[in-house]
Amino acid sequence: MTTSKAAERIGAARAEGRAALVAYLPVGYPDVDTSIAAMVAAVEAGADIVEIGVPYSDPGMDGPVIQEAVDRAVRAGVGIRDVLRAVEAVADAGAVAMVMSYWNPIERYGVQRFATDLAAAGGAGAITPDLIPDEAAEWIAASEAAGLDRVFLVAPSSTDVRVASTTAACRGFVYAASTMGVTGTRATVGDAAETLVARARAAAPDLPVCVGLGVSNGDQAAEVASFADGVIVGSAYVREMLEGRGADGVRALTADLAEGVRRAGVRA
Amino acid sequence: MTTTSPPQTGELQLPARPGWPDETGHFGVFGGRFVPEALIAALDDLTAAYEEMRVDPAFLSEFARLQRDYTGRPSPVTEVPKFAEHCGGARVLLKREDLNHTGSHKINNVLGQALLTKRIGKTRVIAETGAGQHGVATATAAALMGLSCTVYMGEEDTRRQALNVARMRLLGAEVIPVTTGSRTLKDAINEAFRDWVTNVETTNYVFGTVAGPHPFPAMVRDFQRVIGDEARGQVLEREGRLPDAVLACVGGGSNAIGIFTAFVPDEGVRLLGLEAGGDGVDTPRHAATITGGTPGVLHGARSYLLQDENGQTIESHSISAGLDYPGVGPEHSYLHDIGRAEYRAVTDAEAMEAFALLCRTEGIIPAIESAHALAGAVKLGQELGPDALLLVNLSGRGDKDVETASRWFGLGDREEVDPGPGLDTDQQPTEGAVSNDEAVAGPDAGETA
């Protein structure tokens, strides 16, 4: 069995005494090439892992910022083929390339075919926000066979039983949703995240825990980095693109966040 | 109203379910739960509370009382002989869900879910709505039971169903026009899920159809099956036999599941779902999900849906806002795949012809949604011939559709247009016809014929 690219990178960050920085950007906003250039800029400025978003017509877990960007990409016909091109670019730039996708685009592409093509493109695996392990038998088998990471989510509302079963099904890391809600920047990340990280660690001591939802600046990244293995930032990146700052904005935001994840020092 | 009570209404138990879904909400390969983990606890709690409630005599007694005294159940069965003359001489019986309080079958489901909301101690309900019928029903139940109510409705739909927006607001509900995506029902559902995941501590999602994640498809079916349970008894009592076929329109599919369920074990009874064919299933403008779609995942369940090669949902089109949905309940996909029910598409023009026909032959203005089932009866009757007995679910009344129908038939200010196309099967009302998009363009749209 191959090692997990995501877990390896998060472990390397920990060895440097810091949390990993995970940057989300959707493919295709404002167009495929510009979005890929922004991802590469994030890698160059210090992102360890890039969550490469697959545009989807019905993003039920996303707030208005991400909705606006992916809506444009959907209308432009952006699909998995474009996503795989972004995966190659991110992997070539030296970061861990994780696809972030609602389930239907993967199912439509073909689960087995997706796993094969993602591995061939140099991708590390996929995060599936609306796929729970209970429904994921085909994806678990395909990702296992292809040596890919698979990241499921836990939430503050998850019972202990579900935290245990979900972390057991993950490979690479588990995505801890910091709050009950959709994606978007928030003034504070909240105490629920720290409690949830502790519960995930209790259930699966060897699985890294990355926290997402609501982190948008270096100070919040430092706060989350004090208790989590990785900090996931999405809407703040997408806002840089929506407001036209492009790769330069992404680079500046990454520098701020990369400083944040180094400020806290690593947990014991 | 009928003078005798059908056997099931008022009895303090729900009839046995079909052998599906399984414990995790799967109808064969369809159904299940494709939602963020954050909602799983709420869905688990809802499932547990519902399973407890559905066998609780106190609930069943209260539910039966509301159905009788508030909704006006049982709804009658009406034979429509003059309409049936256009159905190859087959006899046609209508199950009159249009006579329910609030004007459609939607009230059956919301009363059950509102009682469940109170039982689990939540104080706020949210709902999605397309035509506005489910929104009105939810606002009604919320007013009755003292719950705060927010309804999400696509901005396009708030314009083409302005009357129902006003009704919901009169009933004290907040109506939020949804401006994302295609601005129709599917986007209203997305927005309702976003609200739910954020406010799940206080809020219950009263889902309007037999779609969505488990337990909604099974729960909504249980609350709607009263339609078929009553109708089966009523038809047996008056005819001494079962119908040859049961017909219903299918958008998400709750009225169809409601009338089909009691007949599923009756193998000799054909079950026919009529989907919205829009301009035709061979065009891009339709909402015929099973007839013209492929299996995939949308709004929390696996089912047939309209999608492109990238797995993006395709915007649906129908003259009927209530059928204008690119998905369908997973049980329909299952009934289709096992061959127990069949699904056909009815175009806008065919539905409006049947709409006019029922108005003028029987003095009943149907909902345009239900007119799709009536159009199916015209065709099936002609196929089966004079001995056939057809039971059609008249799921709602057409008051809300008067404006759309007026535009379609060129009624309104100018009187020179003959409003009789529905009586002439050779006449296609294409000149006076307007599509949905045109219908919402403004008050003068469609007046150019």
Side-chain angles (χ1 to χ4, degrees):
Chain A
M1 186 177 130
T2 53
T3 55
S4 159
K5 290 180 182 173
E8 207 166 62
R9 181 63 61 100
I10 294 167
R14 186 184 301 161
E16 294 173 15
R18 64 177 178 91
L21 175 60
V22 184
Y24 164 90
L25 279 165
V27 178
Y29 185 88
D31 56 66
V32 174
D33 287 341
T34 308
S35 65
I36 292 176
M39 292 176 198
V40 171
V43 176
E44 291 168 354
D48 299 288
I49 298 173
V50 179
E51 271 185 27
I52 299 163
V54 178
Y56 179 50
S57 53
D58 295 272
M61 208 187 143
D62 284 306
V65 171
I66 292 178
Q67 282 179 47
E68 186 179 341
V70 300
D71 185 56
R72 172 131 160 208
V74 167
R75 286 172 199 278
V78 174
I80 298 280
R81 203 180 310 273
D82 305 297
V83 171
L84 293 172
R85 193 148 72 77
V87 166
E88 280 188 11
V90 166
D92 287 350
V96 173
M98 294 285 291
V99 168
M100 171 74 145
S101 184
Y102 289 90
W103 186 241
N104 199 51
I106 293 176
E107 183 158 302
R108 182 67 167 161
Y109 189 80
V111 177
Q112 190 57 56
R113 177 182 170 214
F114 172 75
T116 304
D117 291 357
L118 177 58
I127 304 165
T128 51
D130 63 344
L131 183 72
I132 56 174
D134 320 47
E135 300 283 355
E138 191 180 4
W139 167 235
I140 289 172
S143 55
E144 202 63 38
L148 292 170
D149 290 331
R150 55 180 175 271
V151 174
F152 298 107
L153 277 63
V154 291
S157 62
S158 302
T159 61
D160 288 345
V161 169
R162 287 203 64 83
V163 169
S165 61
T166 301
T167 52
C170 288
R171 184 184 190 276
F173 64 93
V174 64
Y175 186 128
S178 67
T179 53
M180 295 297 288
V182 296
T183 58
T185 59
R186 289 178 177 80
T188 57
V189 175
D191 299 337
E194 187 165 2
T195 307
L196 180 60
V197 169
R199 294 171 62 213
R201 286 222 178 91
D206 297 329
L207 184 71
V209 187
C210 298
V211 170
L213 296 192
V215 182
S216 60
N217 58 44
D219 289 344
Q220 288 174 325
E223 181 196 341
V224 171
S226 70
F227 58 82
D229 300 298
V231 180
I232 302 169
V233 180
S235 294
Y237 273 108
V238 177
R239 181 171 288 164
E240 293 300 315
M241 304 303 288
L242 289 179
E243 293 176 0
R245 290 185 288 275
D248 290 342
V250 165
R251 214 171 265 116
L253 174 63
T254 307
D256 180 36
L257 295 166
E259 183 276 320
V261 299
R262 283 165 175 80
R263 199 189 307 164
V266 76
R267 68 187 178 94
Chain B
M1 298 302 243
T2 52
T3 52
T4 53
S5 284
Q8 283 82 3
T9 301
E11 271 187 25
L12 295 186
Q13 62 177 43
L14 287 172
R17 291 164 160 173
W20 52 80
D22 64 16
E23 279 191 4
T24 51
H26 294 89
F27 302 82
V29 300
F30 300 108
R33 281 181 180 169
F34 293 82
V35 294
E37 168 64 22
L39 286 176
I40 296 296
L43 291 169
D44 278 344
D45 290 349
L46 202 60
T47 305
Y50 172 61
E51 290 300 320
E52 200 181 276
M53 183 182 84
R54 66 186 288 275
V55 293
D56 177 352
F59 158 72
L60 291 165
S61 164
E62 175 67 356
F63 192 44
R65 185 189 68 79
L66 286 170
Q67 288 184 332
R68 183 187 65 234
D69 298 347
Y70 192 71
T71 306
R73 301 208 73 87
S75 66
V77 163
T78 304
E79 179 155 17
V80 284
K82 287 198 287 173
F83 176 84
E85 286 171 14
H86 299 262
C87 304
R91 293 179 55 210
V92 177
L93 304 176
L94 303 182
K95 177 61 173 167
R96 300 293 304 279
E97 294 298 300
D98 61 317
L99 296 179
N100 293 340
H101 178 46
T102 73
S104 81
H105 71 292
K106 293 293 188 186
I107 191 76
N108 302 331
N109 167 46
V110 300
L111 288 176
Q113 290 202 51
L115 287 173
L116 181 58
T117 302
K118 293 193 76 169
R119 190 180 179 99
I120 59 179
K122 294 186 176 177
T123 55
R124 174 175 180 259
V125 290
I126 55 172
E128 83 292 344
T129 199
Q133 294 301 90
H134 175 59
V136 167
T138 306
T140 299
L144 177 68
M145 300 192 199
L147 299 164
S148 138
C149 178
T150 299
V151 178
Y152 290 94
M153 189 169 187
E155 190 183 47
E156 292 292 343
D157 292 333
T158 61
R159 292 161 66 190
R160 51 179 162 171
Q161 303 286 342
L163 178 68
N164 273 342
V165 174
R167 289 171 78 193
M168 288 183 271
R169 289 181 171 150
L170 283 172
L171 291 161
E174 176 189 24
V175 180
I176 300 183
V178 174
T179 58
T180 55
S182 60
R183 306 179 178 210
T184 59
L185 177 57
K186 85 172 181 69
D187 307 285
I189 293 174
N190 292 336
E191 207 56 32
F193 272 116
R194 292 182 187 115
D195 180 316
W196 200 28
V197 76
T198 308
N199 300 299
V200 68
E201 287 274 323
T202 60
T203 299
N204 190 31
Y205 186 1
V206 175
F207 206 76
T209 191
V210 288
H214 180 62
F216 291 116
M219 179 166 66
V220 176
R221 175 193 67 194
D222 289 350
F223 291 143
Q224 289 292 1
R225 68 167 298 161
V226 65
I227 303 170
D229 289 332
E230 284 179 4
R232 190 175 182 280
Q234 287 165 318
V235 174
L236 275 176
E237 185 178 280
R238 58 179 288 155
E239 304 295 332
R241 58 170 286 210
L242 291 170
D244 295 296
V246 178
L247 298 91
C249 65
V250 177
S254 70
N255 92 83
I257 285 292
I259 198 164
F260 285 175
T261 297
F263 295 95
V264 164
D266 301 318
E267 285 176 17
V269 178
R270 286 174 70 173
L271 305 177
L272 180 58
L274 287 312
E275 299 191 300
D279 293 349
V281 285
D282 51 347
T283 77
R285 295 175 53 82
H286 66 85
T289 308
I290 293 178
T291 312
T294 50
V297 169
L298 176 66
H299 293 149
R302 182 177 285 115
S303 195
Y304 280 82
L305 65 124
L306 303 180
Q307 59 178 329
D308 69 12
E309 71 281 3
N310 289 325
Q312 313 293 356
T313 310
I314 296 173
E315 292 175 20
S316 56
H317 292 276
S318 169
I319 190 170
S320 150
L323 302 182
D324 196 354
Y325 179 57
V328 67
E331 188 166 2
H332 284 295
S333 295
Y334 181 64
L335 291 173
H336 170 264
D337 276 17
I338 65 171
R340 181 60 191 96
E342 46 189 313
Y343 297 84
R344 297 181 182 180
V346 166
T347 63
D348 287 351
E350 291 167 336
M352 293 312 290
E353 196 174 309
F355 176 97
L357 192 60
L358 191 72
C359 290
R360 308 202 74 192
T361 57
E362 301 286 350
I364 298 170
I365 301 178
I368 295 176
E369 289 79 8
S370 318
H372 288 70
L374 294 166
V378 172
K379 278 192 187 171
L380 186 65
Q382 287 165 359
E383 290 167 28
L384 296 182
D387 293 333
L389 181 64
L390 309 182
L391 173 65
V392 179
N393 195 12
L394 198 71
S395 55
R397 65 178 177 233
D399 306 42
K400 69 187 175 58
D401 295 318
V402 166
E403 198 176 332
T404 304
S406 296
R407 286 188 182 133
W408 178 273
F409 295 119
L411 305 177
D413 296 341
R414 281 177 275 169
E415 295 297 330
E416 69 267 28
V417 180
D418 177 5
L423 297 179
D424 181 351
T425 50
D426 294 322
Q427 188 178 342
Q428 295 295 325
T430 45
E431 284 295 302
V434 290
S435 72
N436 279 336
D437 292 346
E438 290 161 331
V440 297
D444 294 331
E447 293 288 337
T448 52

